[in-house]
Amino acid sequence: MSEPQIHSVYESKDIEIAYQLWAKADRDTNRYHALPYHLLDVGACAEQLWDHLPNASKCIALSVFGSEPEARKCVSFLAAIHDVGKLNRYFQAKSPPQCSRLGHLGVKRLEELKRHGEAGVPAFKRFLVRVWRWSMPVAQASAVAIGGHHGVFRNGSGVERTLDMDQGYAIHLADNIVSNLAEIFQVNDVYAEPESLNPFLAWLAGFVSVADWLGSNEEFPYQSKRIELHDYLDSARARARGLMESIDWPIPTKTTLRPVEDLVPAGIQPNALQRSAERIAQDDFGLAIIEAPMGVGKTEAAFALCERSRSAGNGTFFALPTMATANGIYPRVRQFLDAPDAGEGTIPRLLHSQAWLTEWRTHDCKGATGEESLNHVADWMSGNKRGLLYPVGVGTVDQCLYGSLAAKHFFVRLFALAGKTLIVDEVHAYDIYMGDLLECLLAWCRVLNCRVILLSATLPATRKAALLAAWGASPSESSSSYPAISWVDSLGQLKVEPVDAPPRKPIKLKPIVTPTPAHLAGASIVLDTLNERPQLHALILNTVKQAQEAYLWLKGQVAGDVEVTLFHSRFTASDRADKEADVLSSFGKNAPRNRTRILVATQVVEQSLDLDFDTMVTSLAPIDLLLQRAGRLHRHRRTDTGLLTAEPDGRGPAEMKVLVPVIGESEAPKLSDPVYLDYLQYKTMALIGDSLEINSSHDLASAVSRVYDEEQPPESYGRLLPYISQAKADHEARVLRLLGAAQSVEIIRPDSADPLTHGRNFLEDDAEAQGSVAIAKTRLEDSPSLTLILRPEGAGWGWGDKSFSSRRTFAMQTVRTPLNATFKQELDALEKPDGWSRSHLRQFADPIQLSDAGIFETLSYQLTYSFEVGLTIRKKNA
């Protein structure tokens, strides 16, 4: 199909028609916001957005357009033209009142609804080819990126005629509007096309989308009266400046570099790891991997590594495995960034999906008090796709990984990360599926001018090699050093600096064969360990059910002066926060040691909690997770009475008892926990043998390598050999399945020959949608989960109350549990509270009205809940 003739002469009849067309409209009235005004609203917001970006992010556009003034004009213009496709008759007919008003233009209701983003692509492409002189393929891809501002890329082929409202003049009108805006923004020059296309496409698509979100704000009232566009733009710019102030989007200022002494807790001298990080940051880097044992200050080393970027005002995002670990590290990040010399706009925000529930967020709102302060929490920047835009944030790794998934608006997340420093903690916690998504994300971070810092205590060599390869680097002989900081410098060269870890008390892993149910055997061992001396004991189990049963058994056995606490993930959000605070105060570094306490817990204590136990019993798990748990045993130096000391620990040998199954002559050991792979658990059993001593950092790294990276001599496996051989085949098949699952939902890598806009990016990403399967997931769950809202007897549901306090109450009473299909069916069959069908809560949760005894029943199941034990769902008469 030949390109239509372009009319470069401005014709008044066309612009008069444009003023009649709408971009936003009331559903029930004739009020509308004229299309040209909305385009200028977004262009004005784009200018403000550019001014708020870190310099390192702007480099993506500067590499195309040269100077900052030129780049600012060009990207603002590209954002302004985003909705030119709305002048097609399919869009204009979407509003019944507007359809009636525009009947004289041939607008009428049509069954075929064209997408206005796609409809604008031909006009964008024609301008880029004709004026900027870009080649057709680059112009096409860039036009699709602009048209994808609603989250999906569509190539726009064959949509030219959708602009034909009446005898073909709309195509001409589209070109005239684009040309008119080019005149206003002064971009009628020739610009060199992008040399690195895919990074530019990701950045541009995200930039345009965010500018559109800003320009669609209520700050820009409906205007249909005829106003000269230059005059309107002046008012739009004033509103855009006011909007950026109202949504609390700060511009971080440049500051001087702070010495590492200022980045560690007061009264503590930096150690070798932290001083190495300070030196490396001075030379700059792209990717850095910090590997060191638990409790040696990796977080502070990461602060030192990102200090150069922070002082330049480029922004930082701290990504943790879970919302709980993000909550735990937030105060430390805030202390690091909230110093008087840290500069303006550096107070971090907690940005995961449940951040608005935390109490400390309410103190961040300048000049706001009471309900006003509380409502400010659920503000513009708190959207699930917008949080990463904030200059300095703390959240979950999932928020970043969505940037590597072919889900709607994935490019907004990539744009939000561009130029920032991304710190990913607990990298060893991610499975094969998540690991592959992380590799894809790293490849994009490299071309989007990010710095990335990865932290791990127990990172297998194969995993490290894959992460380095994703960045474009190859491991070397020195990269196996441990502890060490490995980094890729600005020239792409891998460098490794071994460091001396502070000496740590040796730990022995002692297997305890348990023919009886392991969790009850573990509880019995803990009971036998108790003596007259006040001590803190830990029993760590792999499932919530086991932890609950062990806790109840122990509660019935111990004397009244022994305190037993249960901690797992199946408490309501409110109770879990209280439980975590209690665990930290009772078992943390500064906890009183004046009475005997027992903590029965699941894996929730493995990561990012500074706990210190005198004894520990644990279920079998892969070696890296056992070592993570062991990192909470004799974590700090203490006297034999439990007082903190600078002298060697005086509590005697540190021995972690590991519950292992019996190895039969012809029957595989019974691993009752489906949480972990048999292959890794069998290899861990073989490694521990009669006992395993970890005397140094080298021993720790060697233990992880022998389970994950190395093939051991068959004789070293003993009677486990046939079971390990069989489990290995299952493991390798699972690896291939997980890699295939990840690659089926990933976006293309940036070095692909295909433009990013030609890829698949329309997968469902609403992981909170109750009863639906989210195709684009950051995690693959063996068992889907069910979210419940638990309300006590007599408490109303109050759907009409939309205040923050009411919404927070409901959210804090939610709890997740593995999905039981029969229970869910019976739950759906029950009568729901009045108004439930109209509540937004029904999309992600089910209502549960508890009795005074904390009980709720369906036909076949009984649900009980208490602050002491948490949630249990049992089949009746079982």
Side-chain angles (χ1 to χ4, degrees):
M1 182 177 181
S2 61
E3 291 288 341
Q5 178 66 35
I6 304 299
H7 297 271
S8 59
V9 180
Y10 172 80
E11 296 184 13
S12 61
K13 69 172 185 178
D14 287 341
I15 200 67
E16 290 301 328
I17 292 173
Y19 280 109
Q20 297 179 55
L21 304 179
W22 63 278
K24 299 187 295 183
D26 280 347
R27 286 185 178 180
D28 304 319
T29 72
N30 277 330
R31 288 184 64 243
Y32 69 96
H33 193 43
L35 177 60
Y37 301 144
H38 174 62
L39 302 183
L40 291 177
D41 293 340
V42 174
C45 288
E47 293 174 337
Q48 288 298 307
L49 175 59
W50 173 269
D51 294 341
H52 282 70
L53 293 179
N55 290 329
S57 176
K58 294 178 182 178
C59 287
I60 309 297
L62 290 172
S63 67
V64 180
F65 300 109
S67 69
E68 174 149 346
E70 287 299 318
R72 184 179 188 267
K73 292 191 303 182
C74 289
V75 297
S76 298
F77 159 72
L78 294 176
I81 64 175
H82 75 294
D83 263 352
V84 164
K86 281 186 174 179
L87 57 79
N88 79 81
R89 56 179 172 170
Y90 300 98
F91 177 85
Q92 293 296 315
K94 288 177 68 174
S95 166
Q98 300 306 316
C99 180
S100 176
R101 180 179 64 83
L102 297 171
H104 66 286
L105 295 180
V107 174
K108 58 184 178 181
R109 296 294 291 176
L110 300 165
E111 292 184 4
E112 183 182 11
L113 295 178
K114 296 296 181 183
R115 304 174 183 93
H116 67 265
E118 182 183 12
V121 167
F124 310 151
K125 176 180 64 177
R126 287 193 293 268
F127 176 86
L128 295 176
V129 171
R130 179 176 64 87
V131 179
W132 287 7
R133 305 295 175 82
W134 287 7
S135 65
M136 185 61 73
V138 171
Q140 173 71 20
S142 301
V144 173
I146 298 168
H149 57 273
H150 283 283
V152 176
F153 293 144
R154 295 185 172 91
N155 64 26
S157 61
V159 301
E160 284 83 352
R161 296 193 61 79
T162 67
L163 299 175
D164 183 5
M165 287 195 297
D166 182 22
Q167 300 178 5
Y169 65 74
I171 293 177
H172 174 51
L173 173 56
D175 293 320
N176 269 281
I177 291 177
V178 172
S179 296
N180 208 47
L181 290 174
E183 230 178 90
I184 290 174
F185 285 94
Q186 301 176 6
V187 293
N188 279 315
D189 294 318
V190 175
Y191 295 96
E193 64 183 33
E195 293 183 4
S196 299
L197 182 58
N198 278 334
F200 175 71
L201 294 176
W203 187 95
L204 176 64
F207 181 86
V208 172
S209 294
V210 176
D212 183 33
W213 292 343
L214 291 166
S216 300
N217 195 277
E218 293 179 357
E219 185 79 17
F220 301 93
Y222 286 1
Q223 178 61 261
S224 55
K225 182 180 177 181
R226 178 76 159 80
I227 302 173
E228 288 299 322
L229 294 185
H230 280 93
D231 294 336
Y232 182 85
L233 181 57
D234 289 338
S235 63
R237 283 169 169 159
R239 292 191 182 97
R241 287 190 293 270
L243 174 63
M244 297 302 273
E245 292 176 3
S246 70
I247 64 176
D248 189 24
W249 191 327
I251 304 177
T253 57
K254 295 183 179 181
T255 65
T256 57
L257 285 166
R258 295 179 295 172
V260 68
E261 286 81 2
D262 292 351
L263 308 180
V264 297
I268 303 295
Q269 288 298 310
N271 60 30
L273 177 71
Q274 293 152 358
R275 292 200 179 278
S276 292
E278 182 182 40
R279 288 194 300 273
I280 293 167
Q282 292 172 357
D283 294 333
D284 207 6
F285 64 93
L287 172 71
I289 302 177
I290 302 177
E291 297 173 277
M294 295 70 71
V296 300
K298 291 189 292 294
T299 300
E300 287 72 22
F303 292 161
L305 277 176
C306 77
E307 176 62 11
R308 175 171 175 166
S309 177
R310 182 212 60 79
S311 65
N314 285 329
T316 310
F317 187 80
F318 294 78
L320 282 296
T322 64
M323 288 185 282
T325 52
N327 291 345
I329 204 171
Y330 175 80
R332 294 170 68 187
V333 176
R334 178 156 187 165
Q335 184 177 17
F336 162 55
L337 291 168
D338 200 12
D341 57 349
E344 294 289 332
T346 57
I347 297 177
R349 290 182 60 173
L350 193 63
L351 293 169
H352 59 66
S353 62
Q354 298 297 310
W356 63 286
L357 301 177
T358 59
E359 293 292 348
W360 60 71
R361 253 312 272 121
T362 65
H363 303 307
D364 291 348
C365 310
K366 300 175 183 177
T369 59
E371 187 71 22
E372 177 189 357
S373 173
L374 294 173
N375 276 302
H376 193 281
V377 178
D379 61 4
W380 192 91
M381 197 69 75
S382 298
N384 65 341
K385 296 177 181 178
R386 299 172 181 171
L388 287 175
L389 294 166
Y390 198 76
V392 184
V394 179
T396 65
V397 71
D398 304 76
Q399 293 172 273
C400 305
L401 291 182
Y402 265 115
S404 61
L405 286 172
K408 290 181 67 175
H409 281 121
F410 73 89
F411 41 79
V412 170
R413 299 174 194 258
L414 293 179
F415 164 73
L417 289 172
K420 290 181 178 175
T421 296
L422 171 63
I423 301 175
V424 184
D425 200 1
E426 311 281 8
V427 177
H428 53 268
Y430 310 138
D431 63 14
I432 296 163
Y433 177 85
M434 291 182 69
D436 198 71
L437 298 183
L438 179 59
E439 291 170 31
C440 182
L441 180 66
L442 289 180
W444 277 99
C445 285
R446 179 177 62 83
V447 300
L448 290 173
N449 206 24
C450 298
R451 291 174 180 84
V452 179
I453 303 170
L454 307 178
L455 310 182
S456 180
T458 52
L459 188 62
T462 50
R463 191 85 217 88
K464 180 178 180 179
L467 295 170
L468 289 170
W471 196 268
S474 300
S476 62
E477 290 184 10
S478 62
S479 62
S480 61
S481 299
Y482 184 92
I485 301 179
S486 307
W487 75 98
V488 183
D489 66 17
S490 57
L491 299 177
Q493 298 299 310
L494 174 64
K495 298 181 178 180
V496 180
E497 182 169 319
V499 295
D500 294 326
R504 197 183 188 286
K505 188 173 184 177
I507 292 181
K508 177 187 287 188
L509 277 62
K510 179 66 176 177
I512 305 295
V513 178
T514 55
T516 57
H519 60 291
L520 297 181
S524 178
I525 293 169
V526 171
L527 189 65
D528 292 341
T529 306
L530 304 184
N531 53 45
E532 294 182 359
R533 178 186 302 174
Q535 288 184 311
L536 304 186
H537 307 270
L539 173 60
I540 304 178
L541 302 168
N542 291 341
T543 70
V544 172
K545 181 179 179 182
Q546 291 171 351
Q548 290 171 328
E549 292 179 355
Y551 166 80
L552 292 172
W553 185 86
L554 272 171
K555 282 283 290 184
Q557 301 295 319
V558 300
D561 58 340
V562 176
E563 182 179 306
V564 187
T565 302
L566 177 63
F567 184 40
H568 53 71
S569 61
R570 219 164 295 163
F571 290 99
T572 63
S574 176
D575 288 350
R576 177 163 175 172
D578 291 340
K579 286 278 186 182
E580 183 172 313
D582 178 58
V583 167
L584 285 169
S585 65
S586 300
F587 301 92
K589 179 178 180 179
N590 298 309
R593 325 283 286 197
N594 57 354
R595 66 179 297 187
T596 295
R597 294 184 176 89
I598 302 172
L599 178 66
V600 182
T602 58
Q603 302 91 328
V604 293
V605 299
E606 280 178 8
Q607 300 161 354
S608 301
L609 292 179
D610 189 3
L611 307 176
D612 187 0
F613 299 100
D614 299 309
T615 76
M616 183 175 290
V617 180
T618 176
S619 292
L620 179 66
I623 186 61
D624 54 329
L625 303 183
L626 290 181
L627 294 173
Q628 284 289 324
R629 297 174 188 183
R632 275 73 188 164
L633 178 63
H634 294 200
R635 184 180 183 92
H636 301 288
R637 294 181 180 183
R638 298 184 185 276
T639 65
D640 59 351
T641 59
L643 298 177
L644 292 169
T645 179
E647 302 299 320
D649 191 276
R651 288 179 284 182
E655 181 178 86
M656 182 172 74
K657 295 180 174 65
V658 182
L659 308 172
V660 298
V662 175
I663 304 176
E665 294 297 330
S666 58
E667 185 178 355
K670 293 182 179 180
L671 299 172
S672 59
D673 305 332
V675 181
Y676 306 113
L677 298 177
D678 290 0
Y679 177 62
L680 296 178
Q681 293 196 78
Y682 288 153
K683 289 192 73 176
T684 298
M685 284 178 62
L687 174 67
I688 295 175
D690 294 330
S691 69
L692 175 67
E693 292 195 11
I694 305 295
N695 296 308
S696 65
S697 299
H698 172 77
D699 291 344
L700 188 150
S702 175
V704 174
S705 178
R706 289 173 63 186
V707 170
Y708 281 89
D709 299 320
E710 301 173 9
E711 288 291 339
Q712 302 300 316
E715 58 270 19
S716 70
Y717 294 144
R719 288 188 295 164
L720 284 166
L721 177 61
Y723 312 122
I724 289 176
S725 299
Q726 177 58 46
K728 181 181 179 182
D730 296 338
H731 171 69
E732 290 174 344
R734 184 174 184 272
V735 168
L736 291 176
R737 180 178 66 82
L738 290 177
L739 286 175
Q743 291 163 7
S744 70
V745 297
E746 284 178 359
I747 61 173
I748 62 174
R749 303 288 171 106
D751 57 359
S752 170
D754 295 325
L756 176 66
T757 50
H758 285 190
R760 174 191 66 250
N761 66 305
F762 48 84
L763 301 181
E764 172 63 49
D765 66 345
D766 184 6
E768 297 296 326
Q770 181 80 346
S772 70
V773 177
I775 302 173
K777 289 183 177 181
T778 56
R779 302 171 190 241
L780 283 185
E781 297 177 331
D782 292 330
S783 175
S785 61
L786 181 68
T787 301
L788 307 173
I789 302 178
L790 309 184
R791 295 286 280 170
E793 180 76 24
W797 292 91
W799 309 124
D801 186 355
K802 302 298 183 182
S803 68
F804 173 87
S805 299
S806 175
R807 289 182 289 122
R808 186 178 189 275
T809 296
F810 285 116
M812 293 299 284
Q813 292 177 340
T814 60
V815 61
R816 282 192 173 188
T817 183
L819 177 64
N820 177 313
T822 304
F823 174 76
K824 173 62 175 162
Q825 289 174 357
E826 294 183 1
L827 188 60
D828 289 343
L830 296 178
E831 185 178 351
K832 298 296 185 291
D834 291 340
W836 179 254
S837 62
R838 299 186 302 277
S839 169
H840 70 282
L841 299 173
R842 65 184 173 82
Q843 297 178 3
F844 70 92
D846 283 288
I848 299 293
Q849 189 90 55
L850 298 172
S851 70
D852 287 338
I855 297 174
F856 176 88
E857 293 186 342
T858 66
L859 181 64
S860 308
Y861 291 87
Q862 182 182 79
L863 178 153
T864 60
Y865 183 83
S866 69
F867 178 79
E868 180 185 8
V869 178
L871 180 74
T872 61
I873 300 177
R874 293 188 175 91
K875 194 165 186 178
K876 296 177 180 177
N877 304 319

